[in-house]
Amino acid sequence: VTTLIHILLGTMRPSGKGVFGKVSVYYGVVEAQGRGTLHLHLLIWLKHGLSPLDIKHRYDNDPVWAKKLLNWYDDVFSQSIPEGSVPYDHKNALYKRQPVMSRPLNPSDSNFEHNFNQDLCDILENTGMIHKHNDTCYKYLPKVIHSLRDDDKDCRFQLPRPTHEQSHFDEDGHLVLKCNNGSVNGHNPLIIASERCNLDSKPIGSGNVAMAMFQYMGTYTIKFTLDTAVVFSALCAAIKSVSENPPKDIDGNLDAHERSRKLLVQTVNKLVGKRELSGQQMASRLIGTPSCYTNRTYVHFYWSGMLRHIDCDIFQSNVNKHPDSEYDDNHYVSNSDDTLPDSAANLAVGEVIDADDEDPLIFLQPTGMPPADSLSKSKRNTLFDDIFLRPEELKDVCAWNQMRMYAKQELPKSK
């Protein structure tokens, strides 16, 4: 994974250029298949990339640019069998010489270009990149109509796709890639030839595709591995346990709040106990392999704390108090060590640090402090005094954008 991100995508190369160009942001989550095999789902944003609408507008009005764009798509994405290649001979091939078991071709070899297409074709055939229908294609098809299914039309992967002699945009503005075999999954030839594994690649050529991909990634990010039947059985067991031994207060009366808490705790414990993890997942956890790959950091936004800060009379009724906090009629007063000083109101907009064209990070420089470039690494803070006591320059910035894009430096303590 790190080889893919750092070298092939170019994020750690001196020029910053990879097989797709310069990458601005990447975000990937690791997911386990039913058999336990780990694989990565990765979204990539290119620097200075245009939106689908801007691409379509320029494509329609600039023929020269349109030709360069389609050439770029044909260069980095493929849905075709390589030209001049022949099918892989499984009968006479040695096990240790299988494409997935051998090293990539050496680019310095004089026959590299001549052998590349055949090597790529062999990899596609041996890594499942050429689709063949199986039960997974129809797992969402109602069983009552399985006998009437059309293997091609009812495949949930919508394969095989129609073939096209050249890449183009259709009348609806959707990108249609060149394709000489409708069963070939989209891929990047250089990445497949280097990684020698199943690795689908797909451009986001329209707003609808973009929304579908983000929903797909979000589903995998929060994917729950337990079946509904297991969840309900754990809930029933927790309800039965709490009903047979309900918690009571010191006077012997039923404690409704403690009963609710105990029900949730027991349900979660039973779900955790029933959750099955594969050997690959356990090994990945033990050796410290990340479950998420990204070059961005994300701040936590605590909605409950924000709502309590706005109006505690409305949003405070059933919330436990923190053991280190005191509560009065208006607000919480924290006694913990992470309380911010009142100097948060003295912040002023300073220089922009680590800025890029897509998502600048703006540094909040306190009054009387040295320039931003001479300060140590700033600390982000999610306490809401930074929002409600912010300087006049930030009054039109929403709370989320302030916490996401701005950093804060505390004023030095007076002697």
Side-chain angles (χ1 to χ4, degrees), residues 143-156:
K143 293 183 178 179
V144 294
I145 62 173
H146 266 214
S147 59
L148 304 175
R149 80 183 187 197
D150 184 308
D151 286 354
D152 291 345
K153 292 182 179 179
D154 292 329
C155 176
R156 69 186 182 98

Side-chain angles (χ1 to χ4, degrees), residues 20 22-25 44-55 58 65 69 72-73 204 357-358:
F20 298 112
K22 290 188 175 182
V23 174
S24 172
V25 183
I44 301 170
W45 287 262
L46 299 181
K47 276 194 174 181
H48 313 297
L50 300 178
S51 68
L53 290 177
D54 291 336
I55 290 176
R58 191 167 179 181
W65 185 86
L69 175 67
W72 178 81
Y73 276 123
I204 298 179
D357 294 337
E358 290 78 26

Side-chain angles (χ1 to χ4, degrees), residues 107-343:
S108 302
D109 193 331
S110 59
N111 295 323
F112 175 77
E113 294 186 4
H114 179 267
N115 297 330
F116 181 81
N117 281 0
Q118 184 60 53
D119 181 66
L120 177 60
C121 179
D122 294 344
I123 297 172
L124 294 177
E125 289 192 46
N126 284 271
T127 57
M129 291 297 293
I130 301 178
H131 181 76
K132 295 180 181 178
H133 294 310
N134 53 52
D135 292 341
T136 304
C137 300
Y138 316 106
K139 71 176 185 179
Y140 298 131
L141 192 68
K143 293 183 178 179
V144 294
I145 62 173
H146 266 214
S147 59
L148 304 175
R149 80 183 187 197
D150 184 308
D151 286 354
D152 291 345
K153 292 182 179 179
D154 292 329
C155 176
R156 69 186 182 98
F157 301 108
Q158 300 181 354
L159 295 173
R161 66 175 66 85
T163 58
H164 301 278
E165 294 184 358
Q166 58 184 6
S167 300
H168 63 279
F169 283 89
D170 62 17
E171 296 179 355
D172 297 326
H174 297 156
L175 174 65
V176 179
L177 293 176
K178 177 183 176 181
C179 176
N180 66 11
N181 187 314
S183 297
V184 177
N185 291 331
H187 61 277
N188 177 276
L190 290 177
I191 293 180
I192 286 286
S194 301
E195 297 285 341
R196 310 184 87 74
C197 63
N198 185 296
L199 208 159
D200 296 0
S201 299
K202 182 178 181 180
I204 298 179
S206 69
N208 292 335
V209 175
M211 288 187 288
M213 293 301 294
F214 279 108
Q215 182 181 10
Y216 186 75
M217 290 286 291
T219 300
Y220 275 104
T221 303
I222 60 174
K223 184 177 181 180
F224 195 52
T225 57
L226 296 180
D227 295 332
T228 304
V230 177
V231 175
F232 278 114
S233 66
L235 181 60
C236 290
I239 293 175
K240 181 179 179 181
S241 175
V242 174
S243 300
E244 293 176 349
N245 186 23
K248 297 181 180 180
D249 58 20
I250 192 172
D251 298 325
N253 299 320
L254 184 66
D255 191 335
H257 178 79
E258 178 62 19
R259 182 177 61 177
S260 299
R261 188 196 68 82
K262 191 174 181 181
L263 175 62
L264 289 176
V265 170
Q266 291 193 10
T267 302
V268 171
N269 289 339
K270 292 183 181 297
L271 288 176
V272 172
K274 292 178 179 294
R275 184 182 180 187
E276 296 180 355
L277 297 176
S278 66
Q280 295 93 322
Q281 289 176 288
M282 292 301 299
S284 174
R285 183 69 175 177
L286 290 174
I287 65 178
T289 304
S291 60
C292 173
Y293 293 85
T294 182
N295 60 344
R296 291 298 176 96
T297 56
Y298 301 92
V299 297
H300 295 285
F301 193 98
Y302 300 101
W303 281 110
S304 58
M306 170 65 83
L307 295 176
R308 289 198 301 270
H309 202 114
I310 294 174
D311 196 328
C312 61
D313 293 332
I314 297 177
F315 301 108
Q316 190 57 47
S317 57
N318 295 321
V319 179
N320 285 336
K321 292 184 290 185
H322 191 280
D324 294 331
S325 300
E326 299 175 359
Y327 180 74
D328 58 29
D329 292 337
N330 297 318
H331 61 281
Y332 267 115
V333 179
S334 175
N335 296 324
S336 59
D337 294 335
D338 59 355
T339 306
L340 282 181
D342 293 335
S343 57

